[in-house]
Amino acid sequence: MSAAKLIRFYVYRHLKRDYVLPHKHSAYELLYYEKGAGRVMLGQNTFEYGKHSCVIIEPNLLHDDYTLEEQTVYCIQFSSDMKLASAVIAPNRNNEKFIKQIGEILSSVGKDEVTGYPVVAEYQLDALLVLLIRLFNVDNSIRRVYQKTVVDYLKKYMNNYIGSKIDFEILSEKIGYTYERTRKIFKQSEGISMYQYLLNLRLAKAQNLLYDKNKKISDIAAECGFSSPIRFNLFFREKMEFSPGEYRKIVHRTYRDNVARKDSDVQKG
């Protein structure tokens, strides 16, 4: 599954003193300035940029662009589950290799033989997202904010794919971190490991599904990401001190008792 979806790709060449009026997009926008310089407004803040700078713009953020030196700019709009912060990132010795790779990917985008429109391959878009993540990671001014978005993304991913086998090493690579780095960031934020967080999600979902007395326990085990009913049973008993079947009986008995108690109170009233 791709981490991002392409909306639009194009290349602009602006002359000195060209001005792009304030506007906004419903998607993320990445601008890479192959050459030239200018000034960009992001929301209520204004920044200057130069050759090989990258500008990341969040969805629905008002922005403009004023050209100070003739420029060539690559622009790609995309949607992503990973939240990115708006920023202007100038090349420095810490990030220049990542910015160079971004430029190489954008300048290598091919065209459809029939339509002549640019074609950005899925792997190119995913690579761009990883490089953006690495840019955030080396920029001290936005690192802390970005790390929170990493944790939010991981939690959302686990919620969405709770029934699937999740390889945390591959997931970490997908967002531009080593597994050790991802593990550390997550635990510092949540106080537990990613794996324990996932198990807690699976336990909560299993408890909810067990309310349905017509649903097979083997189906619940599969839906919650357990490889077999036996493993599900052992895990559930360890956490709840009851087997899934016993838990279901307790839940329904408690429910019937509560209903009977309410009916009795109504009759007495």
Side-chain angles (χ1 to χ4, degrees), residues 13 116 177 229:
R13 289 176 175 81
Y177 284 108

Side-chain angles (χ1 to χ4, degrees), residues 13 18 24 90 117 133 148 155 167 183 186-187 247:
R13 289 176 175 81
D18 276 356
K24 59 179 69 174
Y117 291 132
I133 291 166
K148 181 180 182 304
K155 289 162 69 174
D167 188 320
R183 182 182 64 80
F186 192 91
K187 190 162 186 177
Y247 178 83

